[in-house]
Amino acid sequence: MELAILSLNVWEGRRYEGLSAYVSEQSDKVDIFCFQEVCDTDSSVTTDRAGRRVNLYQELLRLLVDFEGYFAPAWQPVSTVDGIVDGISEQSTFVVKSGLAMFIRRTIVLL
């Protein structure tokens, strides 16, 4: 059995439109995605003023429905930032986890 593995630094989702299009395009060909610099948060903020997609892991989960997602945070700073929630700017204090994410096609059996 051959596996197709794609490893990519996603730059904290700063180029999300291109990233999501590329990942969608590759999802039929790739069995395992390995991503670096993935952000995740429990906040409803989607983008901070630095341009990071602070909920990128959740967005990738929705994009890669045929894959099981795994997230390993490397650091968890508490930040007060201006963010955008449903297109409305707001200031929030929340934890942003950043680290590695792996998405494995659900048809692959892990031992």
Side-chain angles (χ1 to χ4, degrees), residues 80-91:
T80 300
V81 298
D82 296 325
I84 299 171
V85 180
D86 296 327
I88 300 168
S89 182
E90 76 173 33
Q91 188 174 58

Side-chain angles (χ1 to χ4, degrees), residues 3-11 19 22-23 26 29-38 60 64 99-103:
L3 289 177
I5 300 172
L6 188 144
S7 181
L8 189 64
N9 185 319
V10 296
W11 296 345
L19 172 65
Y22 180 71
V23 168
Q26 297 300 311
K29 304 169 196 148
V30 172
D31 298 302
I32 300 172
F33 288 93
C34 302
F35 298 128
Q36 303 86 48
E37 291 189 25
V38 176
L60 290 169
L64 296 168
L100 305 173
M102 181 178 287
F103 294 84

Side-chain angles (χ1 to χ4, degrees), residues 2-109:
E2 260 185 52
L3 289 177
I5 300 172
L6 188 144
S7 181
L8 189 64
N9 185 319
V10 296
W11 296 345
E12 298 176 320
R14 294 172 198 264
R15 305 273 193 275
Y16 182 72
E17 289 73 26
L19 172 65
S20 62
Y22 180 71
V23 168
S24 292
E25 176 184 301
Q26 297 300 311
S27 65
D28 289 340
K29 304 169 196 148
V30 172
D31 298 302
I32 300 172
F33 288 93
C34 302
F35 298 128
Q36 303 86 48
E37 291 189 25
V38 176
C39 294
D40 193 26
T41 185
D42 293 331
S43 170
S44 59
V45 173
T46 56
T47 306
D48 68 9
R49 80 177 115 174
R52 297 183 304 165
R53 296 293 281 230
V54 294
N55 64 347
L56 181 59
Y57 178 66
Q58 299 304 318
E59 292 180 276
L60 290 169
L61 280 173
R62 287 190 293 276
L63 189 64
L64 296 168
V65 295
D66 294 330
F67 293 77
E68 188 70 35
Y70 301 90
F71 180 69
W75 56 279
Q76 302 183 68
V78 176
S79 299
T80 300
V81 298
D82 296 325
I84 299 171
V85 180
D86 296 327
I88 300 168
S89 182
E90 76 173 33
Q91 188 174 58
S92 300
T93 300
F94 56 93
V95 173
V96 177
K97 297 172 270 190
S98 183
L100 305 173
M102 181 178 287
F103 294 84
I104 301 173
R105 187 175 298 283
R106 293 182 193 275
T107 57
I108 295 175
V109 178

